[in-house]
Amino acid sequence: MPDEVLELLNPQPGGLYLDGTLGGGGHAGLILAASAPDGKLIGLDRDPEALAAAKRKLEPFGDRVVLVQANFSEMHQVLDDQGIAGVDGILLDLGVSSRQLDTPERGFSFRDDGPLDMRMGPDAELTAADIVNSFKPDELRNIFREFGEERFAGRIARKIAERRVEEPFSSTADLAHVVKMAIPAKHGKKQKIHPATKVFQALRIYVNDELGHLSRTLEGALEVLNPGARFVVISFHSLEDRLVKRAFRQAAKGCICPPRMPICSCGRKSQAEIVTRKGVRPTAEEVAQNSRARSAVVRAITRLP
């Protein structure tokens, strides 16, 4: 959703922007072009392969861009290291990137067989194989239920525990097959997505602590925004979007005194103004061109003085 993101972020010449999920540098390039001739960007990514690809793509922008290997939850430290007090806009494009999905060796997808890895960067301590081969069935069930909202979490966890006694899991295709076999056939036929989709999502989120990093970022992102600056987030599933929506509403909330009190005693003022009340979704034309955009939701807030 490049057009919608640029409109919401509203980059201007001379501005300083932070792309916390750099990926291949697609959004970063658009921001730098829109903020020409002297706008600057700091790009973060926990994936060294993504940083290398982005460096090649953004080379024409020269010293207008600074790339750092870091998680977006570390933006405060990164900006401190750069001697920067505030930025004029922040963008987060959450979830796994197309580059990661399309690389079987990274283990994010079951479309092509690959090692059961799913780490977005070297900061992730466990692989997906570590989890499915060593976690107790109850722990697996909770992961699948909490991070994948998987209806048959218990059945799948038990099936995985039974199978790994015979042979440890090592490949994405192997795990996807076992998950598919654990789901009742009559329910599997009704699903529009592959039966293993939610389990793979849950493992990926757990391996990379995605919701933890997002929660910590949402708590402190406004502190590094200059007054009038925008914070734009693209979410791809309901777990992320709920966190973003709740944090934005909290930031925009003013006085929290009971309605019956004639005078405010809490002294609380709104920190931000919500720009996207219902969230922005991709057009039918974009979904037709890029099916992965179908679940995207973009939300934005503006930092108040």
Side-chain angles (χ1 to χ4, degrees):
M1 304 175 66
D3 294 338
E4 293 85 348
V5 167
L6 279 183
E7 181 178 354
L8 290 170
L9 192 63
N10 193 29
Q12 300 292 318
L16 175 59
Y17 302 92
L18 188 146
D19 185 345
T21 47
L22 188 64
H27 281 123
L30 295 174
I31 293 169
L32 286 163
S35 62
D38 54 351
K40 295 184 177 182
L41 180 137
I42 299 174
L44 311 182
D45 207 293
R46 64 197 298 187
D47 185 347
E49 293 182 13
L51 280 175
K55 183 178 180 180
R56 292 191 294 270
K57 182 178 182 63
L58 302 176
E59 188 174 3
F61 295 102
D63 61 2
R64 291 177 57 203
V65 58
V66 175
L67 306 184
V68 181
Q69 184 177 333
N71 193 294
F72 52 71
S73 63
E74 302 171 294
M75 65 173 64
H76 286 74
Q77 185 61 53
V78 171
L79 293 176
D80 285 345
D81 292 343
Q82 299 288 329
I84 297 170
V87 297
D88 299 307
I90 298 174
L91 171 65
L92 298 184
D93 185 1
L94 302 175
V96 64
S97 70
S98 293
R99 178 183 295 273
Q100 290 166 334
L101 278 173
D102 294 336
T103 305
E105 293 77 19
R106 302 298 297 272
F108 286 102
S109 175
F110 42 76
R111 292 184 310 167
D112 299 301
D113 196 16
L116 202 52
D117 194 318
M118 299 194 191
R119 290 173 295 175
M120 289 182 173
D123 56 329
E125 297 179 358
L126 298 174
T127 67
D130 294 330
I131 295 168
V132 298
N133 288 322
S134 64
F135 279 34
K136 297 177 181 178
D138 286 351
E139 294 175 314
L140 291 175
R141 179 200 63 203
N142 292 339
I143 290 172
F144 301 155
R145 183 175 294 166
E146 181 179 355
F147 301 124
E149 299 178 309
E150 173 54 63
R151 176 182 178 184
F152 299 104
R155 291 173 61 103
I156 295 169
R158 289 193 297 272
K159 191 70 173 180
I160 287 174
E162 292 171 3
R163 213 314 297 277
R164 71 190 185 191
V165 174
E166 304 170 8
E167 180 184 1
F169 288 91
S170 61
S171 77
T172 56
D174 189 16
L175 177 61
H177 174 72
V178 171
V179 172
K180 183 177 180 180
M181 293 300 100
I183 295 177
K186 64 178 181 179
H187 292 283
K189 292 179 180 179
K190 296 178 182 179
Q191 291 184 329
K192 296 181 180 180
I193 58 176
H194 190 284
T197 299
K198 294 181 179 180
V199 168
F200 271 63
Q201 172 188 297
L203 286 170
R204 190 202 81 215
I205 291 173
Y206 187 88
V207 164
N208 298 287
D209 189 22
E210 292 179 40
L211 299 185
H213 286 295
L214 177 59
S215 295
R216 292 189 287 275
T217 301
L218 292 169
E219 289 175 3
L222 287 177
E223 297 173 4
V224 301
L225 279 177
N226 293 326
R230 295 274 181 90
F231 182 19
V232 180
V233 183
I234 310 173
S235 304
F236 286 89
H237 57 75
S238 59
L239 298 175
E240 295 171 338
D241 189 47
R242 279 198 292 267
L243 287 177
V244 175
K245 184 163 52 175
R246 188 182 306 127
F248 282 9
R249 286 178 177 174
Q250 185 65 25
K253 185 182 295 184
C255 173
I256 57 175
C257 294
R260 64 178 179 275
M261 292 187 65
I263 300 176
C264 172
S265 63
C266 71
R268 178 185 171 93
K269 295 183 179 180
S270 299
Q271 297 177 286
E273 180 180 4
I274 295 176
V275 179
T276 51
R277 289 292 171 182
K278 294 184 178 181
V280 179
R281 296 186 177 274
T283 63
E285 290 77 12
E286 180 167 1
V287 172
Q289 295 176 1
N290 177 17
S291 61
R292 290 173 182 167
R294 65 183 180 276
S295 58
V297 180
V298 184
R299 297 186 185 276
I301 55 174
T302 301
R303 168 74 186 271
L304 294 176

